Amino acid sequence: MTSPDSTASPDGPASSDGSGSSGDPGSPASPAPVGGAGVIETTGIEIIAESERTAKPRDLVWPWFAANVSVFGMSYGSYLLGFSISFVQATIVAVIGIVISFALCGLVAIAGKRGSAPTMVLSRAAFGVHGQKVPGIVSWLTSIGWETSLAISAVLATATVFDVLGLASGQAVTVIAAILIAALIVTASVLGYHTIMKLQSILTWATGAMTILFMILTIPHIDLAAVLSAPSGSPQAMIGALVMVMTGFGLGWINIAADWSRYQKRTASDGSIVLWNTVGGAAAPVVLVIFGLLLAGSDEGLAGAIEGDPIGALVTILPLWALIPFWIVAVLTLVSGAVLGIYSSGLTLISLGIRIPRPAAAAVDGVILTAGTIWVAFFATSFIGPFQSFLITLGVPIAAWAGILIADILSRRANYDEKALFDPAGRYGAVDWTSVITMVVASILGWGLVVNSFAEAAPWNNWQGYLLEPLGLGTFVDDPAGAYWDGNWAYSNIGVLLALVLGFVVTWFARRGKIRRQEQR
């Protein structure tokens, strides 16, 4: 976007009265030196040098497609039908939720092109240099959780395939798989952006082709009559399913969306960035989820098995000769998604003030990922319960933050003052209390309107839903056989959408004047 503000020229870093180093001494606002395209990317959260901004919008297809072509997406067919909705309703929900959520990622990716910095650094324009630490911590936890869940799925798939083939079984397989998979994820993440982009472009074609083969092999298991016999559910159930799809796909990635567009040319079209980000992220999941609906709707046993081991359950419907190829594809696609997560979580860690090189930050998060993977693989009795509970809980503040940042991005007419992103005395200030308070309030209201659907698997999350009874949207029934919520809206988890919309609306109206003043400084 051409800026009327001469201090925010698209031809280079914006000028500012601040030094650019007082906010993050270890992360200067000056452009990163040329050489980031080496074997190991040394660029951290600093501004990307103009000479390194060579990517084109269509390049965004590779990381997003490769990370989301995972057969894990098929398991969402079972999760959607769990809301007691029909195949047609679930298909509508899947298409709308996936496309819209990745389009929101595309809007955030615009900021990467305008500011050439990671998402959580660019978010400082909305929250202030120090105020950004509030959503930054939530973002880091979200990324760590996502990458760990993907690694866990890869480990469980490995254990299942090896056991079915009679090659090996037991805890030794789980430990070895966890270590090797974590090592692969961490290695790619430490090498950085350029290696990941090359890796993802290869994985896109390889895993895409093998996923199509998997679908062809499993078509005989589809019973269309059984699929279409499922009765329709309520509109509230559809909303609940929509929220799960949005948090499980696009909203799960939205906090890292600008990390992959910061190498884009200044002249790249905003519309093209949104388009290719959406196409890359949504194309595969839409097909995979609908196919997963067909499989889960055909076999109740398969749908139930997905609860404990999503990938392993899909293995059971394949011929033996296809297990090894399927396992390789499943692991690579899951690793692909985890690589994006751990790369970005490392950047977020640095943005919080941890003064270590980017490769070291990725390695730190890799250690956490490995420990979390081993813990869940050995001690968690259910995978999907804690995972979905985790998604909804962190999905509320992430949705609030996303609404705030998207409104901020759409309100701006000028490129970012890049030095001010690192200077609490600059135009963005130390703390933007309007944004911080909006996020906190939207999160509190949102948590009050979501419930923990997995009370037994994740009892630590039973504190939510405190606004349902006061608003007449649900009643908590403390049944000795198992407590539950009664009411059509109780399990809609509408709090996520409320947080997103509230964050956007408040920011759109309350901060527009301040944004104009910032751009005139």
Side-chain angles (χ1 to χ4, degrees):
M1 176 179 291
T2 302
S3 169
D5 184 352
S6 61
T7 65
S9 168
D11 294 325
S15 61
S16 171
D17 294 337
S19 65
S21 60
S22 58
D24 288 275
S27 304
S30 57
V34 176
V39 176
I40 298 180
E41 180 197 18
T42 56
T43 304
I45 65 172
E46 60 266 35
I47 303 301
I48 303 299
E50 203 68 37
S51 61
E52 300 246 345
R53 297 173 185 142
T54 58
K56 300 176 182 178
R58 65 173 178 268
D59 295 333
L60 292 171
V61 167
W62 307 126
W64 291 113
F65 190 94
N68 289 282
V69 73
S70 169
V71 291
F72 180 66
M74 293 184 190
S75 62
Y76 273 79
S78 174
Y79 307 155
L80 285 175
L81 295 179
F83 282 87
S84 298
I85 57 179
S86 69
F87 169 76
V88 173
Q89 288 177 314
T91 299
I92 293 172
V93 163
V95 173
I96 293 175
I98 292 170
V99 172
I100 289 180
S101 63
F102 278 110
L104 295 177
C105 286
L107 292 175
V108 172
I110 292 173
K113 186 264 295 192
R114 293 180 182 174
S116 300
T119 313
M120 287 299 137
V121 172
L122 298 168
S123 182
R124 292 173 177 177
F127 285 83
V129 175
H130 294 318
Q132 168 55 28
K133 290 183 172 65
V134 175
I137 292 172
V138 177
S139 173
W140 182 75
L141 290 172
T142 301
S143 293
I144 286 289
W146 262 111
E147 65 205 29
T148 302
S149 67
L150 293 172
I152 290 165
S153 295
V155 170
L156 293 176
T158 300
T160 299
V161 170
F162 277 49
D163 183 51
V164 171
L165 292 175
L167 298 177
S169 61
Q171 293 186 343
V173 175
T174 304
V175 172
I176 294 173
I179 293 174
L180 292 179
I181 288 170
L184 182 59
I185 294 169
V186 174
T187 299
S189 302
V190 167
L191 291 176
Y193 172 86
H194 300 284
T195 297
I196 294 172
M197 290 295 284
K198 292 176 183 177
L199 175 66
Q200 302 291 60
S201 65
I202 296 172
L203 287 178
T204 292
W205 293 106
T207 57
M210 289 303 298
T211 300
I212 292 174
L213 175 61
F214 168 80
M215 295 170 68
I216 293 173
L217 291 173
T218 53
I219 285 177
H221 291 270
I222 295 175
D223 182 349
L224 198 56
V227 171
L228 297 177
S229 66
S232 298
S234 66
Q236 294 89 341
M238 288 185 69
I239 292 175
L242 177 68
V243 170
M244 190 201 70
V245 169
M246 292 182 67
T247 55
F249 287 97
L251 289 183
W253 297 105
I254 199 166
N255 59 311
I256 70 171
D259 297 1
W260 303 98
S261 58
R262 62 194 179 119
Y263 281 88
Q264 290 285 315
K265 294 179 180 179
R266 293 280 194 183
T267 55
S269 161
D270 289 353
S272 294
I273 287 177
V274 175
L275 173 64
W276 289 110
N277 199 108
T278 304
V279 170
V286 165
V287 175
L288 291 170
V289 172
I290 293 176
F291 193 80
L293 286 169
L294 292 171
L295 291 176
S298 302
D299 186 346
E300 291 185 5
L302 175 65
I306 287 174
E307 287 266 334
D309 181 2
I311 307 299
L314 296 173
V315 165
T316 62
I317 61 176
L318 283 172
L320 284 178
W321 66 265
L323 292 189
I324 291 298
F326 171 82
W327 166 66
I328 294 174
V329 171
V331 169
L332 288 179
T333 53
L334 292 166
V335 164
S336 175
V339 166
L340 262 65
I342 202 169
Y343 173 84
S344 292
S345 68
L347 293 174
T348 301
L349 192 64
I350 298 172
S351 75
L352 291 173
I354 308 299
R355 302 180 190 177
I356 57 178
R358 187 207 61 77
V364 168
D365 286 350
V367 172
I368 297 173
L369 174 144
T370 305
T373 300
I374 292 176
W375 170 263
V376 174
F378 277 107
F379 302 107
T381 56
S382 172
F383 170 75
I384 190 57
F387 176 58
Q388 286 204 48
S389 186
F390 157 83
L391 274 182
I392 292 296
T393 302
L394 289 186
V396 171
I398 284 294
W401 166 84
I404 293 168
L405 184 61
I406 290 171
D408 183 89
I409 292 169
L410 295 180
S411 297
R412 293 188 182 277
R413 299 172 181 170
N415 286 333
Y416 292 98
D417 181 339
E418 294 166 346
K419 290 184 179 180
L421 291 170
F422 298 87
D423 181 12
R427 69 178 70 192
Y428 303 127
V431 179
D432 189 305
W433 287 107
T434 300
S435 293
V436 172
I437 293 174
T438 298
M439 180 177 175
V440 171
V441 172
S443 298
I444 292 173
L445 293 175
W447 279 325
L449 295 173
V450 301
V451 299
N452 183 18
S453 302
F454 306 92
E456 293 185 7
W460 43 271
N461 239 355
N462 290 340
W463 54 273
Q464 298 169 110
Y466 42 80
L467 292 179
L468 291 170
E469 288 188 318
L471 295 177
L473 299 177
T475 303
F476 184 74
V477 180
D478 192 8
D479 192 320
Y484 63 92
W485 283 90
D486 183 39
N488 290 333
W489 286 102
Y491 291 96
S492 68
N493 287 322
I494 195 146
V496 175
L497 294 181
L498 173 67
L500 176 67
V501 173
L502 187 60
F504 181 90
V505 171
V506 171
T507 302
W508 184 262
F509 290 103
R511 296 191 66 251
R512 287 177 69 83
K514 184 172 185 178
I515 290 172
R516 293 290 167 266
R517 292 191 295 273
Q518 287 177 346
E519 293 180 329
Q520 292 169 2
R521 284 184 60 180

